[in-house]
Amino acid sequence: MAQDVTQSSADTGVLVREGHYGTQVIAVEPGGAEFIPLNERHGRPIQLFWTWTSPNMEFATIFVGVLAVAVFGLGFWEAALALALGSLIGGITQGILSMRGPEYGVPQMVLSRLGFGYWGNALPAGLNSVTAGIGWFAVNSVSGAFALNVLTHWPKVLCLLIIVVLQVVVAFFGYNLVHLFERYAFPVLAVIFLIASGVILSKAHPGAVHHTIPGAFLLTFGASFGYAVGWNPYAADYTRYFKPSANKVAIAWWAGLGLFLSCTLLEIVGAAAATVTGANGAGSNPTGAFTGLLNKPLADLTLLAIALGAVAANVLNIYSGALSFTAIGIKLPLSLRRAIVALGFGAIGFFVGWSALPNAGTRYENFLLIIAYWIAPWLAVYFCDQLLRRHPDEALLFATRRTNWAGPVAMLAGMGISIWLFSNQTEYVGVVPTHYPAVGDLTFEVGFVITAAVYLIWHAVAGTGRENTLAG
């Protein structure tokens, strides 16, 4: 399926990334969301394990578990089950999505054009560029800033600035430095968090009295799914440099396993911590409440790890956010367009993070649910299109005149109906949970089903959706 680098863009209809990059680390990756030529391909599937483990070893992951107990009021074992299920589904979809990167050599949000058409894809690509390059970037920057503030007692704004600068520098250089950073961060983060997790779990009170709010299990399930699935729109971004011959099963296994293990472990540790700290775990300084359960030396090491983990998460967020922005189709006549966009997102993310320093807990809960609200319908379109269109030609990804309006229409229908009926967060409560609070939040599940139904029915009626080339 992959085009040979000796063929020109005009010959194949595929936009090939210009410049030479190879395996250089301290070099700015050229281009944006174009096809990666075969002579630039490198890497091994196993590197996906630390690429998807390191960014989840941070307090934003832990706080999902804290919310389950301290805010939603679940007991420890119920919380653990809901957290594991949400992470498992997100890990499975991450593995499946990662498999297509080597075959097509383009970012995830370029592959998304198959189900949405070139310009219709501006809907998911635009949402991802905002939620990744600004939303997630701000969330994790705040998490790292809190940790650095507790450790050093420096002003929170200064801590935020330090964290932002570090992660923007790594993302600016690009793909090779991102992978290398995740690799060397992995052993440091794994050792510290495993030790801290053991201590926290030994102090937990699994049988502690709790006051579960209506629908708490599904709210927790939705939040954990939203956290894990938040990485899905990035999946192929970190496999597109692999050779087309790379083992697809190994790619899916290492990507999915890294995401599932890291999310599940630290979210359950967060739930365990909340059985001790109670509501204080989600208060004005949740990071301090968590590390307060550890002795001073281990607490300080954990704070450093939390700050490092925030950087590990955000180098992916800002890198993929920039790729998604270039995948919208906006023409930027710069060889370093992805790097320049990354700088812009870093600046915006800093100010969004600054404004989010107060009331971080409530905003984070809403953010996780909103992530699930749009990614589940996007996944429905992507997987339905993959079901209908088994071996699409690469030229479909770059044809500006190609449309597939079934994708954006189905996604908007799925989002609109499911949010109206089932959303359950502080900013808006849908019709169903307003009258039946025990339903919790079924938005992403309903959104996925509605979107899939609309997309498949549209193409069944129109007799379309199976075209593998521009000719038909």
Side-chain angles (χ1 to χ4, degrees):
M1 185 66 66
Q3 302 288 340
D4 191 285
V5 70
T6 57
Q7 294 179 283
S8 70
S9 299
D11 295 335
T12 64
V14 174
L15 189 60
V16 179
R17 197 213 67 204
E18 75 274 28
H20 176 69
Y21 184 50
T23 59
Q24 300 175 85
V25 174
I26 306 302
V28 180
E29 178 188 4
E34 303 84 15
F35 170 83
I36 304 301
L38 299 185
N39 65 342
E40 294 274 292
R41 304 296 188 89
H42 60 278
R44 299 178 299 152
I46 194 173
Q47 72 192 55
L48 296 172
F49 181 71
W50 50 75
T51 296
W52 294 117
T53 301
S54 297
N56 295 309
M57 291 187 174
E58 53 146 352
F59 193 73
T61 316
I62 294 168
F63 198 60
V64 178
V66 173
L67 286 173
V69 174
V71 176
F72 302 147
L74 280 177
F76 174 76
W77 296 111
E78 290 178 291
L81 178 59
L83 295 166
L85 286 175
S87 299
L88 177 62
I89 297 175
I92 290 172
T93 52
Q94 184 77 1
I96 295 171
L97 293 167
S98 298
M99 293 167 68
R100 260 187 168 180
E103 181 179 2
Y104 287 92
V106 294
Q108 189 64 58
M109 278 298 151
V110 172
L111 286 170
S112 178
R113 291 173 182 167
L114 292 170
F116 289 84
Y118 191 89
W119 295 112
N121 191 56
L123 172 62
L127 283 170
N128 194 51
S129 64
V130 172
T131 55
I134 299 175
W136 272 120
F137 184 79
V139 165
N140 291 306
S141 295
V142 169
S143 170
F146 273 135
L148 199 57
N149 167 257
V150 174
L151 179 64
T152 64
H153 304 293
W154 295 341
K156 288 180 181 177
V157 174
L158 174 60
C159 294
L160 179 65
L161 180 62
I162 292 170
I163 293 293
V164 168
V165 169
L166 286 174
Q167 51 208 17
V168 168
V169 167
V170 177
F172 179 80
F173 280 95
Y175 181 91
N176 290 336
L177 185 57
V178 168
H179 270 299
L180 188 70
F181 183 88
E182 305 297 345
R183 176 181 179 180
Y184 284 104
F186 171 70
V188 177
L189 293 169
V191 170
I192 295 174
F193 274 115
L194 283 174
I195 295 172
S197 296
V199 173
I200 296 293
L201 290 170
S202 71
K203 294 183 177 182
H205 303 308
V209 176
H210 57 91
H211 302 284
T212 305
I213 67 172
F217 186 89
L218 287 174
L219 284 168
T220 300
F221 175 56
S224 63
F225 173 77
Y227 186 90
V229 84
W231 297 114
N232 281 188
Y234 311 2
D237 299 0
Y238 302 96
T239 61
R240 76 193 200 281
Y241 272 87
F242 290 175
K243 293 181 179 180
S245 59
N247 188 310
K248 288 186 176 181
V249 174
I251 287 172
W253 169 255
W254 290 119
L257 184 66
L259 181 59
F260 168 70
L261 286 181
S262 54
C263 287
T264 302
L265 172 63
L266 290 191
E267 287 171 5
I268 289 176
V269 169
T275 65
V276 183
T277 61
N280 291 333
S284 60
N285 193 347
T287 307
F290 176 78
T291 55
L293 299 175
L294 307 170
N295 61 45
K296 187 68 165 62
L298 182 56
D300 288 347
L301 284 174
T302 303
L303 288 168
L304 283 173
I306 289 172
L308 178 61
V311 176
N314 270 349
V315 297
L316 301 187
N317 287 320
I318 196 168
Y319 178 83
S320 287
L323 281 180
S324 294
F325 184 81
T326 60
I328 292 174
I330 299 172
K331 301 299 183 183
L332 300 174
L334 301 166
S335 62
L336 302 181
R337 49 192 162 273
R338 179 209 53 79
I340 298 301
V341 173
L343 284 179
F345 278 148
I348 296 170
F350 169 77
F351 289 106
V352 174
W354 188 358
S355 69
L357 285 174
N359 303 318
T362 300
R363 296 185 183 190
Y364 186 44
E365 172 195 335
N366 292 340
F367 180 69
L368 288 173
L369 292 172
I370 290 170
I371 289 290
Y373 292 174
W374 81 261
I375 291 183
W378 169 75
L379 283 173
V381 171
Y382 187 90
F383 287 140
C384 286
D385 187 83
Q386 193 169 357
L387 178 68
L388 295 176
R389 200 189 316 271
R390 296 301 178 90
H391 301 289
D393 188 84
E394 291 156 319
L396 294 177
L397 301 172
F398 297 95
T400 57
R401 295 184 179 181
R402 177 180 169 271
T403 61
N404 188 2
W405 293 112
V409 170
M411 181 174 169
L412 287 172
M415 289 173 60
I417 296 172
S418 63
I419 291 172
W420 169 55
L421 290 175
F422 292 99
S423 175
N424 191 354
Q425 50 152 309
T426 59
E427 297 300 318
Y428 172 73
V429 179
V431 175
V432 175
T434 296
H435 295 89
Y436 305 99
V439 168
D441 193 316
L442 290 170
T443 308
F444 87 80
E445 297 95 330
V446 174
F448 184 94
V449 172
I450 291 175
T451 301
V454 172
Y455 189 83
L456 292 174
I457 291 171
W458 177 304
H459 282 301
V461 172
T464 54
R466 298 183 183 274
E467 304 87 357
N468 286 314
T469 65
L470 290 174

